Amino acid sequence: MSNVTVLLVEAGGYFNWLSMIPLAAPLMQGSANDWSFKTEPQLFSSKGLENHRQSYPLGRGLGGSGQLNYLVHSFGKPEDFQNWPNGWTHDDLLPYFENVASTMNVESIPTDGELIQAFLHAGKSVPTEDASFHPASSTLRRGARLSSYHAYLQYAWHRNNLHVLTETRATKIIFYNATTDGIEVTYKDDTQGVILAKKEVILCAGSVNTPQLLMISGVGSSEELERLGIPIVSNRSNVGKNLFDHLNVPLYVNLEAPISATLRKIQSISEVYKYFVSGTGLLATNGIIGLASLNGSGIIFFSGASADEKLLKNIANFKTETFRAMFPSHNNTSHEGFLYLTSCWQPKSRGTISLRSASIFDPPVIDPAYLENDDDVECIQKAIKLALQTLDTKLFREFGARIHVPDLDDCRHWKQDYLDDDYSECVMRTAGLTSHHPCGSCQMGTNDDAVVDEYLRVKGVNGLRIADASILPSPISGTPNSVIIAIANRAVDVILGHSTARFNSFLKTKSQPNV
């Protein structure tokens, strides 16, 4: 709409060229493009991590976390959306999913490699009913990262009604009689300013920064705001509540056959040459080749498991002894093997985002409460058992696939066998890692407890909406990035007052997506 002007205010800047290399995603963590948060010490998990705290990477820059994630695509399952409000069911979102799949160049990986062949064959051979195995899909284009920045924002870059302000942090939302007037900002040179909004403000800061900014601005639990001396604009007790994330338990599998993506192969001159000359080879992939699910349990299949200790131990915040126990390849870049990440797609544990102080510049208190609900333990155990079953199938046996059983100090008093529930729970609570999928901290819904309504409007105030991962009412059975992009597309329709039918008609008349 040419009669509407949009100002995009971004706390970070541009991501560097390294972010474009899919396998370089770990190198982006801890960089200037990462908020580099850490959780509070966890009571029920993370015992093998320094101070029991998880690293919590979130993208800081144009494109957000889509510029440092692992590019795995998923729209979840239809039943994931069954309790979402009207207008947000799976059927409602389907046309937006189709648009995202096209715009983000979603493609399945080739299935002619030995490991993916073994994985798909295992899916037909395991005795467990209802298990689903399929090749992974990703958002890559010609061997390079494709994020929402590349697929959407860049196509709107030269529009006269779009203005982009980088290296500028929103520090407070300005309200007058519970109506949004604009935002306070701090610029790169630490000077401060005020930006007034003609119509409304839309928060897209993610599941950590969005609730923090709301609470700093006076929208949140009155008890917490009063404790910190923050004037109350609207008492919304559930701001920062309902936080959920997927916890991954890594299973290392040794191989005798030389068919995995070892670190030595990835760093070889031939692979570097292939990538920079023709955009092909191992560096042109994200390394994730398959996914499996069983009811609410899930497996992500990495085609390699060479683990650079200096890099991966630090970004995951592992204690040295935990890292070395979990990854036998830590001192051998040629070690053949792959990694299963076992998870619970529909965790029941719920955490919180809360304020450390009344200053936006103090990191918020992040408590995901991983494994607080014992049902999540059982859910991940089902994923572990499914993963073990795959190794007892024909092709994996031919490749000499053998599970690595980590020798962890805290777990030595249990039978050293993943099939033993006590042992697997101990490994889970010791070495489970965040999937980097925080969602839900400003839940959308029609009840009074929800933070935003079905039109994404923050309840209790006027002129303020949220369109990011924080509004998800419940988890996605898979990686949520593509669903969040679809939510952004749907938000356009909601804000402009379009129906789904009008959105479909609009897409047919445009060669590039609307932003």
Side-chain angles (χ1 to χ4, degrees):
M1 293 177 67
S2 59
N3 63 333
V4 174
T5 57
V6 176
L7 174 65
L8 171 60
V9 180
E10 169 56 55
Y14 298 90
F15 284 72
N16 62 35
W17 65 270
L18 190 62
S19 72
M20 296 300 293
I21 303 175
L23 271 186
L27 300 177
M28 301 307 299
Q29 294 181 34
S31 71
N33 297 122
D34 179 9
W35 284 96
S36 299
F37 291 126
K38 278 192 167 54
T39 70
E40 293 301 288
Q42 293 298 284
L43 295 177
F44 306 96
S45 71
S46 315
K47 300 182 185 304
L49 278 62
E50 296 290 348
N51 299 315
H52 299 184
R53 302 173 75 192
Q54 295 273 346
S55 292
Y56 225 59
L58 291 170
R60 178 174 182 151
L62 295 172
S65 294
Q67 290 280 53
L68 51 71
N69 67 5
Y70 289 80
L71 299 162
V72 185
H73 160 78
S74 172
F75 286 134
K77 300 178 178 179
E79 52 266 34
D80 294 343
F81 307 89
Q82 61 186 2
N83 294 321
W84 290 31
N86 288 336
W88 297 93
T89 67
H90 186 268
D91 286 346
D92 294 325
L93 289 170
L94 196 55
Y96 304 95
F97 289 162
E98 292 170 353
N99 174 250
V100 170
S102 174
T103 306
M104 295 295 296
N105 198 50
V106 171
E107 292 182 350
S108 294
I109 68 141
T111 57
D112 53 353
E114 292 98 335
L115 280 176
I116 185 60
Q117 282 288 312
F119 186 71
L120 297 177
H121 177 269
K124 301 175 183 177
S125 305
V126 295
T128 303
E129 296 182 2
D130 300 325
S132 170
F133 289 69
H134 53 87
S137 296
S138 61
T139 55
L140 294 167
R141 184 167 60 195
R142 295 188 292 275
R145 174 181 298 275
L146 184 66
S147 72
S148 57
Y149 167 73
H150 307 107
Y152 289 89
L153 183 58
Q154 281 193 332
Y155 284 117
W157 204 250
H158 299 294
R159 293 183 183 177
N160 292 329
N161 62 337
L162 172 67
H163 305 274
V164 180
L165 195 57
T166 59
E167 304 289 350
T168 303
R169 183 170 184 181
T171 56
K172 188 177 181 180
I173 304 163
I174 303 170
F175 295 103
Y176 179 74
N177 290 337
T179 295
T180 309
D181 268 358
I183 57 174
E184 292 180 2
V185 298
T186 297
Y187 299 105
K188 185 178 182 180
D189 62 1
D190 290 331
T191 59
Q192 298 177 330
V194 171
I195 301 172
L196 299 180
K198 293 180 180 179
K199 292 195 174 181
E200 62 183 13
V201 171
I202 304 168
L203 295 183
C204 307
S207 291
V208 174
N209 296 75
T210 285
Q212 182 195 23
L213 185 56
L214 281 176
M215 290 184 282
I216 288 289
S217 306
V219 180
S221 164
S222 59
E223 181 180 352
E224 181 172 4
L225 300 184
E226 287 174 350
R227 176 177 61 85
L228 295 172
I230 298 173
I232 299 169
V233 174
S234 178
N235 178 20
R236 308 304 304 175
S237 60
N238 281 337
V239 171
K241 306 298 193 295
N242 191 51
L243 177 69
F244 49 82
D245 188 11
H246 297 132
L247 188 75
N248 286 332
V249 178
L251 304 184
Y252 193 103
V253 180
N254 296 289
L255 286 170
E256 294 176 4
I259 57 174
S260 64
T262 67
L263 195 58
R264 176 165 292 185
K265 292 174 188 176
I266 293 168
Q267 294 175 336
S268 68
I269 293 175
S270 61
E271 287 297 330
V272 173
Y273 179 84
K274 280 191 289 187
Y275 184 76
F276 284 103
V277 172
S278 60
T280 60
L282 294 174
L283 287 168
T285 73
N286 60 1
I288 299 172
I289 61 174
L291 300 170
S293 61
L294 175 63
N295 299 324
S297 307
I299 299 172
I300 298 176
F301 182 17
F302 271 88
S303 60
S306 289
D308 181 271
E309 180 171 337
K310 185 177 180 181
L311 172 65
L312 298 182
K313 177 174 75 73
N314 291 336
I315 65 173
N317 206 37
F318 268 129
K319 294 178 181 177
T320 299
E321 57 270 25
T322 310
F323 181 83
R324 292 179 177 178
M326 295 297 295
F327 298 95
S329 65
H330 66 87
N331 60 354
N332 182 357
T333 60
S334 298
H335 192 110
E336 294 283 347
F338 63 84
L339 198 65
Y340 278 148
L341 295 179
T342 56
S343 189
C344 181
W345 290 141
Q346 292 293 319
K348 294 182 180 179
S349 299
R350 293 293 184 269
T352 58
I353 305 291
S354 55
L355 295 180
R356 196 172 304 277
S357 76
S359 171
I360 192 72
F361 297 103
D362 282 341
V365 178
I366 304 170
D367 182 12
Y370 296 117
L371 304 181
E372 182 177 39
N373 191 308
D374 287 337
D375 287 352
D376 296 349
V377 174
E378 183 179 349
C379 180
I380 296 176
Q381 285 173 334
K382 290 179 181 178
I384 290 173
K385 290 172 182 177
L386 178 63
L388 295 178
Q389 287 179 350
T390 67
L391 304 183
D392 195 30
T393 56
K394 181 177 181 292
L395 291 180
F396 276 128
R397 285 197 302 266
E398 290 178 1
F399 296 146
R402 179 172 42 85
I403 192 70
H404 167 71
V405 180
D407 181 19
L408 295 165
D409 288 347
D410 289 345
C411 305
R412 285 177 179 162
H413 55 291
W414 302 114
K415 181 181 179 182
Q416 303 294 286
D417 185 346
Y418 272 116
L419 291 176
D420 181 89
D421 285 347
D422 291 321
Y423 175 77
S424 66
E425 180 177 352
C426 183
V427 174
M428 193 183 308
R429 294 191 187 275
T430 301
L433 295 172
T434 171
S435 292
H436 310 152
H437 300 159
C439 298
S441 53
C442 293
Q443 179 179 3
M444 172 176 60
T446 56
N447 56 35
D448 291 338
D449 291 337
V451 176
V452 299
D453 65 15
E454 65 270 36
Y455 301 102
L456 308 183
R457 299 174 301 195
V458 177
K459 296 185 176 185
V461 297
N462 299 312
L464 182 65
R465 300 187 205 243
I466 303 174
D468 60 27
S470 71
I471 71 163
L472 269 65
S474 56
I476 302 299
S477 297
T479 54
N481 188 64
S482 292
V483 173
I484 295 165
I485 298 174
I487 286 172
N489 272 300
R490 169 77 178 144
V492 173
D493 230 22
V494 168
I495 293 167
L496 296 181
H498 292 169
S499 66
T500 301
R502 287 185 66 187
F503 178 80
N504 288 330
S505 175
F506 177 79
L507 291 179
K508 294 177 182 178
T509 65
K510 295 290 183 180
S511 59
Q512 300 298 347
N514 187 37
V515 179

